[in-house]
């Protein structure tokens, strides 16, 4: 972020995902968690959102009915987080420029019951014509098992490299800038 008018501006960035990332039906019950995940540069703050009663290897409205949606960014002093009803969380960011670092514990609940979101707010402070530090966010959906082959469930390939999604997330985050370079080269 940088100023395009040469003036100083107070800048706060807000990002969220909704529980809709966890299931294809808005009436499905979901649960969530927040945790710190290690990576080479420190820690990531990660939200995980999953159906309460997953139906393995099934889809609803062209979306998997099992697995875990993952949403993460680097833990830093200027980061605030919150989970809760979309209207409340988004409004707090707009009016205060930050979140209150609370976790909604009203779960499991239906996706359409107050539309829970999982949010990050990064306060960049005063921004001028010098670019701010880069902010990286990771989003994904991990499913285990991946497929059924002749009636036998087959694990996802990533499970042969990492013991859990947390380790995979840490490596993925550490590789983000190199992955961007590879993508730009390919393009």
């Amino acid at each position: 972020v940088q100023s395009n008018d040469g003036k100083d501006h107070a800048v706060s960035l807000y990002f969220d995902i909704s529980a809709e990332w966890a299931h294809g039906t808005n009436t499905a019950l979901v649960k969530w968690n927040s945790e710190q995940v290690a990576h080479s540069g420190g820690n990531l703050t990660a939200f995980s959102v999953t159906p309460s009663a997953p139906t393995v290897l099934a889809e609803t409205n062209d979306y998997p009915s099992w697995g875990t949606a993952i949403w993460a960014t680097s833990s830093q002093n200027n980061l605030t987080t919150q989970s809760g009803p979309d209207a409340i969380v988004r409004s707090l960011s707009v009016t205060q420029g930050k979140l209150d670092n609370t976790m909604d514990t009203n779960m499991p609940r239906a996706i359409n019951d107050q539309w829970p979101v999982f949010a990050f707010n990064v306060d960049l402070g005063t921004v001028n014509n010098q670019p701010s530090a880069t902010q990286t966010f990771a989003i994904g959906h991990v499913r285990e098992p991946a497929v059924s082959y002749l009636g036998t469930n087959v694990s996802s390939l990533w499970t042969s490299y990492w013991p859990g999604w947390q380790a995979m997330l840490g490596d993925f985050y550490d590789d983000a800038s190199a992955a961007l370079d590879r993508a730009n080269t390919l393009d």
Side-chain angles (χ1 to χ4, degrees):
V1 175
Q2 70 184 79
S3 172
N4 66 359
D5 64 5
K7 298 178 183 175
D8 290 350
H9 299 275
V11 177
S12 177
L13 304 176
Y14 174 88
F15 301 92
D16 76 35
I17 66 167
S18 73
E20 293 163 289
W21 275 79
H23 199 281
T25 303
N26 291 338
T27 56
L29 298 178
V30 294
K31 57 187 177 179
W32 51 86
N33 190 28
S34 176
E35 62 187 275
Q36 295 295 301
V37 175
H39 75 105
S40 67
N43 284 321
L44 301 171
T45 299
F47 285 107
S48 57
V49 188
T50 189
S52 288
T55 308
V56 176
L57 299 174
E59 289 184 355
T60 305
N61 298 320
D62 292 326
Y63 200 79
S65 298
W66 85 106
T68 303
I70 307 297
W71 174 229
T73 193
S74 180
S75 301
Q76 48 196 298
N77 290 335
N78 59 340
L79 175 71
T80 54
T81 66
Q82 188 171 347
S83 66
D86 63 347
I88 292 172
V89 176
R90 291 170 180 163
S91 176
L92 184 62
S93 179
V94 168
T95 59
Q96 304 296 315
K98 62 182 178 178
L99 301 171
D100 65 11
N101 294 316
T102 59
M103 186 74 151
D104 187 333
T105 58
N106 180 18
M107 64 179 145
R109 76 172 186 244
I111 293 168
N112 65 2
D113 179 359
Q114 301 180 49
W115 302 97
V117 295
F118 312 95
F120 297 119
N121 197 103
V122 180
D123 183 358
L124 298 178
T126 301
V127 174
N128 53 37
N129 59 354
Q130 298 300 312
S132 67
T134 299
Q135 301 295 316
T136 302
F137 296 85
I139 191 167
H141 200 275
V142 294
R143 294 180 286 281
E144 186 58 30
V147 296
S148 177
Y149 178 71
L150 300 175
T152 301
N153 289 347
V154 179
S155 291
S156 300
L157 180 61
W158 67 265
T159 62
S160 63
Y161 295 97
W162 297 281
W165 66 259
Q166 295 88 343
M168 179 175 59
L169 172 64
D171 284 351
F172 174 82
Y173 193 88
D174 290 340
D175 188 50
S177 65
L180 179 61
D181 290 344
R182 290 190 303 272
N184 288 335
T185 299
L186 179 63
D187 286 348

